[in-house]
């Protein structure tokens, strides 16, 4: 029911939290249902913004939300590893460090 509800919403911006962000693997979470809901949310959004602590970058979690290319903007902290940020920027993601 939740997934169907999100599929009917056309958001300008979808703001997601994830368990992992990897340039090659993509966005991941630890709960299957969470992945299903987040996939529905990003499918209908005009833009996708991910908020993730630097320690989550370059890691992977068992349930895939989607490839890194679905992200328009990543907001992270100063602890984010530079090589991972460079790889994510190469995919076309705008990086915002706070």
């Amino acid at each position: 029911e939740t997934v169907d509800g999100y599929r009917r919403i056309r958001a300008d911006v979808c703001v997601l939290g994830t368990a992992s962000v990897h340039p090659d693997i993509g966005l991941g979470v630890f709960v299957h249902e969470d992945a299903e809901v987040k996939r529905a949310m990003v499918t209908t959004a005009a833009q996708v913004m991910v908020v993730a602590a630097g320690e989550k970058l370059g890691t992977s979690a068992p349930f895939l939300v989607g490839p890194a290319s679905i992200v328009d903007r990543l907001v992270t902290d100063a602890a984010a590893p530079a090589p991972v940020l460079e790889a994510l920027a190469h995919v076309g993601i705008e990086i915002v460090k706070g």
Side-chain angles (χ1 to χ4, degrees):
E1 193 172 309
T2 301
V3 171
D4 287 338
Y6 277 116
R7 286 186 179 136
R8 291 190 292 268
I9 297 171
R10 301 287 181 247
D12 291 333
V13 180
C14 172
V15 180
L16 290 181
T18 63
S20 66
V21 180
H22 192 282
D24 298 322
I25 299 168
L27 308 178
V29 294
F30 291 110
V31 178
H32 171 69
E33 292 82 1
D34 190 22
E36 290 289 327
V37 169
K38 289 180 181 196
R39 277 195 290 268
M41 291 170 69
V42 301
T43 300
T44 59
Q47 291 186 10
V48 176
M49 178 174 20
V50 171
V51 179
E55 64 193 27
K56 295 180 180 183
L57 305 184
T59 66
S60 63
F63 298 101
L64 184 65
V65 174
S69 60
I70 66 170
V71 179
D72 296 295
R73 185 175 301 114
L74 169 69
V75 178
T76 190
D77 56 35
V84 177
L85 291 178
E86 290 172 17
L88 291 167
H90 185 71
V91 175
I93 299 172
E94 176 188 348
I95 307 295
V96 179
K97 280 177 47 174

